[in-house]
Amino acid sequence: MSHAIIVAHGQPSDPEPAEAALAAFAAKVNALTQHVAVHSATLAAPGALEAKLDRAPENSVIYPLFMAKGWFVTSALPKRLGHHPAKILDPLGIDPDLPALTAEALQSELSDKHWAARSTDLVIAAHGSGRSRNPSSVALQFAKQLAGLVAFKSVRVGFVEEPPSISDAANGTEDQALCLPFFACAGGHVQEDVPQELDRAGFSGVVLPVVGELPPIRQQIAKKINEAFDSA
């Protein structure tokens, strides 16, 4: 049996709920993999990743449930692995199939609501960063690709940690609008910052699940994990 560990950031101020939520997510991915046992750990839970690595064979893979290949994926995660030779896969946010899979989920949402895309605004609420351009670049590139797949009335991007803000992006939208949180997990930013910013803008549309929880994504993660072992 091969082994994979899905790793997310977690919630440093209260690690256990995020750890439990990620474990439930990993269990659903585990049900979709072939001959691979899928585990999970958040970086914020002290010792959680190290405990999983202690029991993981050398040919294990790490799937980073992150939206950018930034500091956490390229520096913090390898440091936490130490001498364990597990292979770190590319994170969710830069998966080349992500825009098409998200478009599929958005089109399904539009169909359920009997909304035409050309009459619907899409607000993408992303993290951004005051220190690195990488997170916002990934979100903006994703938005550009998504706009080429679904002909929305407008596609707007706002950030938690840099301008334009989410409230700026959502300002002026009407009832027929969707907000897609460009996050891998529903942590503090999604539960607190995003709703506050949308309220500030008077947003009256529909807030979707985070990208990581859209219906096609678990299957895609399972596919990437399977492919990692197939190629090996």
Side-chain angles (χ1 to χ4, degrees), residues 79-93:
K79 185 176 180 180
R80 293 282 293 273
L81 260 61
H83 297 295
H84 197 291
K87 179 182 179 181
I88 300 175
L89 305 182
D90 281 338
L92 172 64

Side-chain angles (χ1 to χ4, degrees), residues 109 113 115 174-180 203-208:
E109 184 73 20
K113 290 186 165 37
W115 286 359
E174 299 180 353
D175 291 347
Q176 191 165 323
L178 300 174
C179 175
L180 174 65
F203 182 79
S204 56
V206 174
V207 182
L208 300 171

Side-chain angles (χ1 to χ4, degrees), residues 16-33:
E16 291 308 314
E19 188 74 14
L22 185 61
F25 181 88
K28 293 175 182 177
V29 175
N30 182 68
L32 300 170
T33 54

Side-chain angles (χ1 to χ4, degrees), residues 141-160:
Q141 178 62 21
F142 169 82
K144 181 179 178 180
Q145 292 176 293
L146 194 57
L149 295 169
V150 186
F152 283 103
K153 178 181 176 183
S154 71
V155 176
R156 305 142 174 251
V157 184
F159 302 100
V160 173

Side-chain angles (χ1 to χ4, degrees), residues 88-104:
I88 300 175
L89 305 182
D90 281 338
L92 172 64
I94 65 168
D95 188 326
D97 295 330
L98 186 62
L101 292 169
T102 305
E104 175 188 326

Side-chain angles (χ1 to χ4, degrees), residues 37 40 69 106 184 222:
S40 66
K69 197 170 184 176
L106 292 174

